[in-house]
Amino acid sequence: MRKNFGAKPLLYPQPVLIIASYDENGIPDAMNAAWGGISESDQISMCLSAGHKTVKNILARKAFTVSMADEAHVTECDYVGIVSGNQVPNKLEKAGFHTTKSEFVDAPVIDELPMTLECRLISYDAESCIMTGQIVNVSAEERILNAEGNIDPQKLAPITFDPANNAYLKLGEKVGSAFKDGAKLK
């Protein structure tokens, strides 16, 4: 038997994205968002309302970064999501985060978060709140790479948002091989 929940944003996993930008004075800002994902091979799309300081910054600078929140920084990542940059201009500093300017776009990379997508703004629709960015680079700390030089999800320890229970969950355990396991049924 199934239980019906109605129309709710329940989908798993929902990545916890930390979106960073510079304001008009070059001060780094970031926000936490769970409604986003890859929409083309070199694009990311997110649902972000226009009132966020980060969104205003992105519209002005035409660039942003997206880092995966990780298990080691749950508290800091949650903080940048519950405090508005419109009221707390130095919230990254208060969270204990440090930044370095991206080599590829006019946006900050959060040093403590080991994987970052560096993006140029493609479009933003204030009515639907959909922002799309072109991924121009993905940077990752060497400490989260496997022996082959690829990102190791277990070392990254990304978290996902559980919207039904308002919780963060750790991702990372391998349970199969993509584009291979299904071949057994051919």
Side-chain angles (χ1 to χ4, degrees):
M1 179 174 277
R2 289 179 174 255
K3 176 181 177 182
N4 293 317
F5 288 90
K8 294 190 181 230
L10 301 181
L11 184 66
Y12 295 92
Q14 286 192 22
V16 179
L17 307 173
I18 306 302
I19 302 145
S21 61
Y22 287 123
D23 73 7
E24 65 278 0
N25 299 313
I27 307 291
D29 177 59
M31 66 178 284
N32 175 324
W35 292 359
I38 300 300
S39 53
E40 291 287 341
S41 63
D42 67 344
Q43 293 180 9
I44 185 168
S45 294
M46 302 165 291
C47 183
L48 306 173
S49 62
H52 292 289
K53 180 172 180 56
T54 305
V55 171
K56 294 172 192 171
N57 295 343
I58 294 168
L59 294 175
R61 296 261 183 164
K62 309 294 186 220
F64 59 96
T65 60
V66 179
S67 297
M68 291 293 307
D70 64 0
E71 179 184 26
H73 300 95
V74 170
T75 300
E76 297 89 339
C77 290
D78 190 54
Y79 175 79
V80 300
I82 61 175
V83 174
S84 171
N86 291 316
Q87 279 78 46
V88 182
N90 61 341
K91 71 178 184 177
L92 277 179
E93 182 182 320
K94 287 192 174 199
F97 282 143
H98 303 87
T99 62
T100 302
K101 185 178 183 330
S102 164
E103 294 178 39
F104 299 91
V105 297
D106 185 19
V109 172
I110 299 173
D111 299 335
E112 289 78 9
L113 300 178
M115 180 184 156
T116 304
L117 283 64
E118 300 165 65
C119 306
R120 272 191 218 105
L121 178 66
I122 293 175
S123 64
Y124 180 68
D125 179 11
E127 190 172 315
S128 68
C129 298
I130 300 298
M131 178 177 287
T132 303
Q134 179 185 12
I135 302 165
V136 297
N137 185 54
V138 177
S139 62
E141 292 285 338
E142 289 184 11
R143 65 182 168 84
I144 66 162
L145 303 181
N146 61 22
E148 293 78 32
N150 294 317
I151 295 166
D152 182 330
Q154 289 188 327
K155 291 179 181 179
L156 174 60
I159 59 173
T160 182
F161 174 60
D162 171 1
N165 299 292
N166 287 330
Y168 295 117
L169 308 173
K170 178 181 168 186
L171 295 173
E173 183 180 346
K174 182 179 177 180
V175 296
S177 296
F179 308 109
K180 184 177 179 184
D181 289 351
K184 298 172 192 171
L185 301 177
K186 281 187 167 185

